[in-house]
């Protein structure tokens, strides 16, 4: 009874197979890959355009800081470092100096991409069974909301490494805007007011956080900041000032380090003066792949993002996504199957390359991808258990942040950094105004036990002293004709990798501009749990087709990720912010001039 159903629009498998066999000429067509789609009349969402560079971040105040640096003659790295510090003030849930991350830098004069790893490290006292009790069970929340959850922060070392090696400006000059913002305060936006109120359960548990993030500064958590209030961060201003004066030593040694260690000692934390003093950012060789004639350059381990984005693109190259049509059931089916194989490999094979030999060449090999492609059948969901076995788990909301920057000399920066969860562990180190990360939760606490993002891990990602936990952060460049053409990245925990994948497919396969690409509804499948997650925005008919294919479809009643895209074409920069995040902003030097002098401004 293929067409009989209680639901009026439920699709049968017969109808599904009919749909999948529709002549190509009648199937949904994606937009042309012709670059003329960037013309304003041909798009739904309009990128911000500039002739002299572009800064795209999750917070418009920080974007303005970066754009000002470009306007003053700084390069993309100068702007990135200033923006990174500014976000630590203006986006406290994810911008940070108490966390870590990854920066990809393209140097136009050398035609070279540098990957800077400033991921947090496990303290020396950490060990494999750190979060396991005497009965062998995981101690609930020990790796998430305690001082023991903190890895040794990497952000200050990473930003300093970038500036000293690839910037042009003085360190103090790029830290200064953040100090000013912390000192004089920022006006509380609707987004910040709502976010701080929502985060109360986590922030109010820690007295220093309650004092910092609630208005009367006494720890009274009922004194919420209101929209329009001034939010000052005097302790953070002083911490930034010590960084400005002393460089990394102004953070990893001296007063700030002493404050961190005192709080660790008082609360069973692990980080010592020696852990801090020995922290160093390192450069790694970026991972490189190709997709339909474009070069893809992304972050190598200890991020899993680059390897798996390239692995998935290698598989997708075997399918004609344009014919399937963006957002169609067949497109989602292709994408979801490819994701399952990548996330299954991630759980087994990825970890810190300084501690574990990752089979990188094999994972990036196009013939391995071709083998995966032969197992993917159009219109069918392969159960995850047939790919590899694992355990289902819950999902917890993450908050990382990404920014993308390009300058008029052709340099580019893609930077993703994080405290792990929104506001990290929720713990502010007294006297510093700085939240500390809970990045230790990104290790596999016990083989087969999921982390907060439901990701499974194995030996490759077990805890060891000085090791970096596996990440999903995926700052990425797409090159066309040898030049950076698309810069992208996103927060989203385990969803970062699938989100970045969709950006690349949107611009290459479907010819979208940077803003249209950012706006598209997203899908995610991470192998375990065996569940296809969709943002709202996909049609009920499409969802029914997917259910007939065998997917357990979960429409998530909220959005995820915050991509910050730049497309560069014909000597113009097209900034595409993610419309999901209220305070995001794209701005270049032309736009800044326009803001400052509305009469004289001339935008392209
Ligand atoms: N903490 C999230 C990640 O690094 O992927």
């Amino acid at each position: 009874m293929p067409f009989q159903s209680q639901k009026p629009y439920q699709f049968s498998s017969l109808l599904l197979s009919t749909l999948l066999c529709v002549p190509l000429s009648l199937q949904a067509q994606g937009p042309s890959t012709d670059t003329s789609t960037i013309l304003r009349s041909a798009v739904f969402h309009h990128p911000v355009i500039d002739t002299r560079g572009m800064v795209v971040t999750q917070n418009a105040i920080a974007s303005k800081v970066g754009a000002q640096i470009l306007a003053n003659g700084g390069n993309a790295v100068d702007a990135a470092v200033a923006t990174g510090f500014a976000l630590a003030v203006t986006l406290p849930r994810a911008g940070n100096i108490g966390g870590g991350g990854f920066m990809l830098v393209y140097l136009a004069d050398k035609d070279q991409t540098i990957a800077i790893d400033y991921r947090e490290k496990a303290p020396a006292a950490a060990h494999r069974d750190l979060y396991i009790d005497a009965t062998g069970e995981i101690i609930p929340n020990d790796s998430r909301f305690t001082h023991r959850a903190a890895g040794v922060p990497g952000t200050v070392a990473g930003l300093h490494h970038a500036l000293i090696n690839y910037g042009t400006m003085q360190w103090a000059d790029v830290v200064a805007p953040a100090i000013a913002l912390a000192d004089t305060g920022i006006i509380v936006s609707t987004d910040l007011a709502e976010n701080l109120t929502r985060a109360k359960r986590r922030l109010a548990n820690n007295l220093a956080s309650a004092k910092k993030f609630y208005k009367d500064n006494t720890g009274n958590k009922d004194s919420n900041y209101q929209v329009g209030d001034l939010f000052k961060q005097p302790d953070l201003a002083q911490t930034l000032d010590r960084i400005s004066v002393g460089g990394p030593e102004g953070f990893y040694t001296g007063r700030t380090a002493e404050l961190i260690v005192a709080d660790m000692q008082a609360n069973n934390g692990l980080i010592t003066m020696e852990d801090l003093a020995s922290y160093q950012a390192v450069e790694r060789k970026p991972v490189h792949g190709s997709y339909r004639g474009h070069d893809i350059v992304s972050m190598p381990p200890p991020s899993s993002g680059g390897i798996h984005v390239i692995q998935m693109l290698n598989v997708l190259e075997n399918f004609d996504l344009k014919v399937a049509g963006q957002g169609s059931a067949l497109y989602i089916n292709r994408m979801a199957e490819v994701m399952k194989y990548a996330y299954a490999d991630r759980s087994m094979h990825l970890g810190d390359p300084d501690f574990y030999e990752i089979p990188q060449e094999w994972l990036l090999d196009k013939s391995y991808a071709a083998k995966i492609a032969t197992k993917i059948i159009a219109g069918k969901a392969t159960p995850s258990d047939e790919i590899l076995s694992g355990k289902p788990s819950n999902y917890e909301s993450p908050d990382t942040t990404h920014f993308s920057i390009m300058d008029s000399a052709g340099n580019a920066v893609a930077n993703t950094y994080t405290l792990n969860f929104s506001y990290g562990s929720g713990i502010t180190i007294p006297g510093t105004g700085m939240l500390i990360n809970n990045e230790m939760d990104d290790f596999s606490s016990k083989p087969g036990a999921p982390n907060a993002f439901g990701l499974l891990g194995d030996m490759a990602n077990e805890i060891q002293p000085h090791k970096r936990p596996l990440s999903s952060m995926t700052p990425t460049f797409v090159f066309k004709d040898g030049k950076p053409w698309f810069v992208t990245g996103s927060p989203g925990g385990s969803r970062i990798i699938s989100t970045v994948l969709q950006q690349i497919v949107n611009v290459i396969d479907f010819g979208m501009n940077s803003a249209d690409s950012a706006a598209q509804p997203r899908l995610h499948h991470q192998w375990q749990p065996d569940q296809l997650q969709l943002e709202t925005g996909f049609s009920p008919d499409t969802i029914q087709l997917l259910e007939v294919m065998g997917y357990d479809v979960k429409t998530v009643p909220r959005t995820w990720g915050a991509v910050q895209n730049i497309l560069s074409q014909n000597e113009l920069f097209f900034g595409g912010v993610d419309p999901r995040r209220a305070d995001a902003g794209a701005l270049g030097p032309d736009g800044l001039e326009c803001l400052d002098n509305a009469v004289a401004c001339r935008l392209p």
Side-chain angles (χ1 to χ4, degrees):
M1 309 275 275
F3 291 102
Q4 236 174 28
S5 157
Q6 300 204 315
K7 291 187 196 166
Y9 294 104
Q10 192 167 51
F11 291 102
S12 68
S13 50
L14 177 61
L15 177 56
L16 173 64
S17 53
T18 311
L19 284 172
L20 293 173
C21 295
V22 168
L24 298 187
S25 58
L26 297 180
Q27 289 197 8
Q29 297 286 324
S32 152
T33 52
D34 181 344
T35 52
S36 65
T37 51
I38 61 169
L39 290 175
R40 285 170 223 198
S41 58
V43 303
F44 291 101
H45 302 90
H46 293 268
V48 172
I49 308 176
D50 207 285
T51 60
R52 290 188 280 156
M54 182 60 62
V55 181
V56 192
T57 85
Q58 206 176 321
N59 182 277
I61 304 169
S63 300
K64 195 174 172 198
V65 166
Q68 186 69 63
I69 296 275
L70 293 182
N72 293 350
N75 71 6
V77 176
D78 299 320
V81 175
T83 302
F85 280 117
L87 282 166
V89 180
T90 61
L91 187 73
R93 64 186 186 251
N96 68 82
I97 53 173
F102 300 103
M103 183 186 284
L104 220 52
V105 177
Y106 175 75
L107 302 169
D109 58 348
K110 295 197 171 75
D111 186 23
Q112 187 189 0
T113 302
I114 318 286
I116 303 172
D117 166 359
Y118 60 96
R119 182 72 161 162
E120 300 91 328
K121 289 176 83 166
H127 55 88
R128 193 193 61 181
D129 298 332
L130 186 62
Y131 304 114
I132 308 282
D133 68 16
T135 65
E137 294 304 316
I138 290 186
I139 307 165
N141 291 332
D142 210 25
S143 64
R144 297 180 185 173
F145 305 117
T146 69
H147 287 71
R148 281 152 61 83
V152 182
T155 296
V156 175
L159 296 181
H160 187 259
H161 181 97
L163 189 89
I164 294 305
N165 290 286
Y166 309 112
T168 64
M169 291 176 61
Q170 295 298 312
W171 175 245
D173 292 339
V174 293
V175 186
I179 298 174
L181 287 166
D183 199 31
T184 56
I186 54 170
I187 301 294
V188 173
S189 65
T190 306
D191 182 62
L192 180 58
E194 286 178 355
N195 201 270
L196 285 175
T197 303
R198 259 202 317 272
K200 192 169 289 185
R201 205 159 52 102
R202 186 166 306 165
L203 294 174
N205 274 339
N206 177 262
L207 183 60
S209 290
K211 283 183 177 172
K212 173 175 165 130
F213 291 110
Y214 299 99
K215 201 162 140 186
D216 71 9
N217 302 127
T218 62
N220 168 13
K221 62 180 171 32
D222 294 325
S223 60
N224 291 333
Y225 275 103
Q226 305 296 326
V227 178
D229 283 345
L230 190 63
F231 176 46
K232 290 187 177 192
Q233 302 175 71
D235 284 351
L236 183 59
Q238 285 190 18
T239 302
L240 288 166
D241 197 48
R242 287 192 288 275
I243 291 168
S244 166
V245 172
E249 286 76 29
F251 179 83
Y252 292 99
T253 64
R255 172 113 181 107
T256 302
E258 283 161 12
L259 288 167
I260 295 171
V261 172
D263 201 41
M264 289 287 151
Q265 285 173 350
N267 294 284
N268 206 21
L270 302 181
I271 297 174
T272 63
M273 292 299 280
E274 203 181 353
D275 286 327
L276 289 165
S278 61
Y279 184 88
Q280 295 214 310
V282 291
E283 291 194 5
R284 309 238 179 227
K285 186 167 178 251
V287 285
H288 177 246
S290 64
Y291 183 63
R292 304 197 203 279
H294 299 73
D295 286 293
I296 315 293
V297 178
S298 190
M299 202 66 213
S303 178
S304 57
I307 285 187
H308 292 302
V309 160
I310 292 170
Q311 179 190 16
M312 290 191 282
L313 291 170
N314 285 345
V315 182
L316 289 173
E317 233 172 12
N318 294 277
F319 306 127
D320 193 338
L321 295 177
K322 211 169 147 189
V323 160
Q326 213 279 354
S328 70
L330 179 57
Y331 162 83
I332 296 169
N333 166 229
R334 295 293 197 206
M335 298 290 278
E337 292 306 293
V338 165
M339 288 175 194
K340 282 184 207 170
Y341 283 92
Y343 280 88
D345 276 341
R346 181 191 190 280
S347 76
M348 284 299 291
H349 300 298
L350 270 286
D352 182 344
D354 294 342
F355 289 74
Y356 185 84
E357 200 170 330
I358 296 165
Q360 183 165 320
E361 231 174 276
W362 169 69
L363 289 167
L364 295 177
D365 190 25
K366 291 219 188 244
S367 60
Y368 174 52
K371 272 193 205 134
I372 294 175
T374 62
K375 296 183 197 162
I376 294 176
I377 300 162
K380 182 175 181 304
T382 302
S384 290
D385 285 345
E386 288 177 22
I387 293 171
L388 271 177
S389 63
K391 287 187 193 153
S393 68
N394 296 326
Y395 165 79
E396 182 162 342
S397 166
D399 228 318
T400 295
T401 192
H402 174 86
F403 55 86
S404 298
I405 300 182
M406 295 184 88
D407 68 24
S408 57
N411 303 303
V413 171
N415 186 89
T416 316
Y417 73 154
T418 189
L419 292 161
N420 197 19
F421 293 5
S422 230
Y423 304 97
S425 57
I427 295 167
T428 295
I429 304 293
T432 67
M434 175 192 94
L435 283 159
I436 194 82
N437 69 83
N438 58 349
E439 212 63 68
M440 292 294 282
D441 191 65
D442 271 350
F443 280 116
S444 162
S445 291
K446 186 178 165 186
N451 75 357
F453 307 118
L455 289 168
L456 297 173
D458 209 74
M459 263 179 55
N461 190 33
E462 70 183 14
I463 305 172
Q464 289 175 256
H466 307 300
K467 190 174 175 179
R468 288 164 153 94
L470 183 60
S471 173
S472 297
M473 291 187 276
T474 316
T476 298
F477 296 149
V478 177
F479 287 76
K480 195 174 187 177
D481 304 325
K483 289 198 174 142
W485 171 68
F486 184 52
V487 182
T488 189
S490 178
S494 55
R495 294 183 174 107
I496 293 174
I497 308 174
S498 57
T499 298
V500 170
L501 175 76
Q502 286 164 81
Q503 301 315 301
I504 297 172
V505 166
N506 285 344
V507 296
I508 294 182
D509 291 79
F510 300 110
M512 289 186 189
N513 72 55
S514 55
D516 268 344
S517 174
Q520 297 308 305
R522 293 178 188 143
L523 68 122
H524 177 72
H525 200 306
Q526 62 181 49
W527 167 61
Q528 295 288 359
D530 192 352
Q531 188 178 68
L532 173 58
Q533 297 173 7
L534 301 179
E535 284 184 328
T536 49
F538 292 94
S539 88
D541 299 10
T542 304
I543 292 170
Q544 286 184 16
L545 279 169
L546 290 162
E547 284 168 347
V548 172
M549 289 178 185
Y551 288 104
D552 173 12
V553 180
K554 184 168 182 222
T555 306
V556 181
R558 54 184 166 68
T559 56
W560 66 72
V563 299
Q564 311 302 340
N565 292 335
I566 305 176
L567 259 172
S568 162
Q569 207 156 273
N570 304 334
E571 303 192 358
L572 293 174
F573 301 95
F574 299 85
V577 296
D578 199 321
R580 287 161 185 77
R581 301 295 158 239
D583 287 349
L587 194 64
D590 295 336
L592 189 69
E593 206 169 88
C594 190
L595 282 179
D596 289 344
N597 184 359
V599 177
C601 79
R602 263 182 310 143
L603 287 176

